[in-house]
Amino acid sequence: MLSMTKINRSQKFVTFDGTTENVMSPDPQSRAWVEVDSKAIENNARVLKNFIGKDCLLMAVVKADGYGHGSETVAKSALTGGADSLGVATLEEGIQLRNAGLKCPILILGNLINAEELYSSFCWDLIPTISGIREAIICNNIAENNNKKFVIHLKVDTGMTRLGCDCNEVEELISKIDCLENISLKGIYSHLAIAEKDLENNTQISFTWIQLNRFKKVLKDLSKRNESLCRHLANSAGTLSDSRLHFDMVRVGLSLYGYLPLNEFESDLNLTPALKVRARVTLIRDVEKGIGVGYGHFFKTQRKSKLAVVAIGYADGVSRTLSGKISASIDGVLVPQVGAIAMDQMVFDITDKPDTKTGQVLTLLGTDGEVFLSPQHWCDLSGSIPWEVLCSFRNRLPRIVT
Ligand SMILES: *Cc1c(COP(=O)(O)O)cnc(C)c1O
């Protein structure tokens, strides 16, 4: 993705007769783009930090290129807003942030399995997540050969059934890890599987409650250990729903970007959505009643209509499953999308907004004046989730940071 500030738009162009001319490369806002409000992210981090209180650390989760917002931008804004550390999914994501000059602790949430990757993580001062003794031994060997301790976090599976060691085997595993002299185990964590659902007032019904109790049991068994560990469990949903899930650190992704985990999720926090998806009208058409529009003619005009062709499609991250279901805003007026969403284009019915001009900007997601178009709304229409919607804007859309 391009970032406007980084583009040198003046380029030398060599003509057929060998002379050179200065030409401009395309304006990143000429077709379709993503706008990221870095101040909103900074503010959301501040709101979240304030909410969790001074005894709890805030990890900003910036995996998948910062949920489609640009990991470098998001990381810097979150740290300015008070985040203490960063979470990424992969080694490459961590290295990218180090290359961007970020010095804070960075935890890799995925599992690195081979010595090369773990060595790289060691060299870049990235903290790997360990789920078993196999990787712990590799880490120990790496550290021994380099005369420096390898800081790791241990993951415990309390019911997600993904990464993490069995919660009944933690005590034994840690006693083994503690015998590995070159490892410095600094953190222990688990991940919630269905935290979007509430804790249901302490009853045993909630699975989050079961996970919490399993995690607490593990911690109790470890209380005899000399060195204390950074304990963390909550994602955004856990963070927002109950302070008993906070422990020493929370790992927030979605809420940092200004979104709540579910439609019915309630929160008094003043979070600001940071992302806008915008595109320009490339052609305006006047058509008669009964005309088929786009691939498959899924839509036929019900009246004499004015249509706007807009240069954004599923290759840019707008799912084809949303065809004929969404609306966009032009100057705060909603216009319906009609016909099939194609790879690069889609059509809007602007009959009721007839003053629309070629080149005019539509907002597909985010705020436009009084209108707010939410990713959650797209999810309700397409069966997706906000996380997936946000990280689908990649590849082709330039990103403008404001
Ligand atoms: C992605 C991720 C998070 C952040 O989850 P959100 O629901 O976006 O807040 C936290 N912890 C782990 C382990 C993750 O993979």
Side-chain angles (χ1 to χ4, degrees), residues 199-260:
L199 274 183
E200 296 173 24
N201 306 326
N202 280 355
T203 59
Q204 296 289 327
I205 308 163
S206 155
F207 191 69
T208 298
W209 193 246
I210 292 172
Q211 286 195 272
L212 173 63
N213 283 333
R214 286 179 184 160
F215 193 55
K216 287 209 297 208
K217 164 94 174 33
V218 165
L219 298 175
K220 190 156 167 268
D221 293 344
L222 294 176
S223 56
K224 291 166 253 114
R225 193 175 179 265
N226 291 337
E227 259 183 282
S228 67
L229 294 168
C230 175
R231 306 159 301 166
H232 47 113
L233 175 65
N235 53 6
S236 292
T239 303
L240 299 180
S241 60
D242 199 303
S243 63
R244 285 168 293 183
L245 299 166
H246 292 182
F247 294 93
D248 303 315
M249 180 165 82
V250 298
R251 307 181 304 266
V252 295
L254 197 67
S255 54
L256 177 68
Y257 304 98
Y259 304 94
L260 297 177

Side-chain angles (χ1 to χ4, degrees), residues 85-257:
S85 62
L86 301 169
V88 295
T90 69
L91 177 61
E92 289 76 8
E93 289 174 345
I95 293 173
Q96 193 189 344
L97 294 173
R98 285 283 181 251
N99 274 327
L102 296 167
K103 304 263 189 289
C104 68
I106 300 178
L107 178 65
I108 300 176
L109 302 166
N111 207 27
L112 305 183
I113 53 172
N114 64 45
E116 288 77 19
E117 287 180 311
L118 286 163
Y119 178 63
S120 193
S121 143
F122 178 80
C123 295
W124 287 97
D125 197 17
L126 304 167
I127 305 168
T129 294
I130 301 296
S131 294
I133 194 67
R134 178 185 173 277
E135 287 80 7
I137 291 171
I138 299 176
C139 289
N140 190 56
N141 291 341
I142 290 168
E144 191 175 354
N145 292 335
N146 292 278
N147 300 315
K148 197 181 116 194
K149 292 229 169 184
F150 203 154
V151 175
I152 64 167
H153 280 207
L154 180 73
K155 188 155 187 189
V156 180
D157 180 23
T158 55
M160 175 69 124
T161 322
R162 229 172 46 177
L163 292 182
C165 73
D166 191 309
C167 58
N168 298 313
E169 290 163 14
V170 182
E171 217 182 338
E172 194 191 333
L173 179 59
I174 291 198
S175 66
K176 283 184 190 157
I177 290 176
D178 283 342
C179 294
L180 300 171
E181 287 180 351
N182 303 292
I183 283 188
S184 169
L185 178 62
K186 290 276 192 213
I188 184 162
Y189 76 102
S190 192
H191 196 32
L192 299 171
I194 44 177
E196 296 83 38
K197 303 208 166 158
D198 209 340
L199 274 183
E200 296 173 24
N201 306 326
N202 280 355
T203 59
Q204 296 289 327
I205 308 163
S206 155
F207 191 69
T208 298
W209 193 246
I210 292 172
Q211 286 195 272
L212 173 63
N213 283 333
R214 286 179 184 160
F215 193 55
K216 287 209 297 208
K217 164 94 174 33
V218 165
L219 298 175
K220 190 156 167 268
D221 293 344
L222 294 176
S223 56
K224 291 166 253 114
R225 193 175 179 265
N226 291 337
E227 259 183 282
S228 67
L229 294 168
C230 175
R231 306 159 301 166
H232 47 113
L233 175 65
N235 53 6
S236 292
T239 303
L240 299 180
S241 60
D242 199 303
S243 63
R244 285 168 293 183
L245 299 166
H246 292 182
F247 294 93
D248 303 315
M249 180 165 82
V250 298
R251 307 181 304 266
V252 295
L254 197 67
S255 54
L256 177 68
Y257 304 98

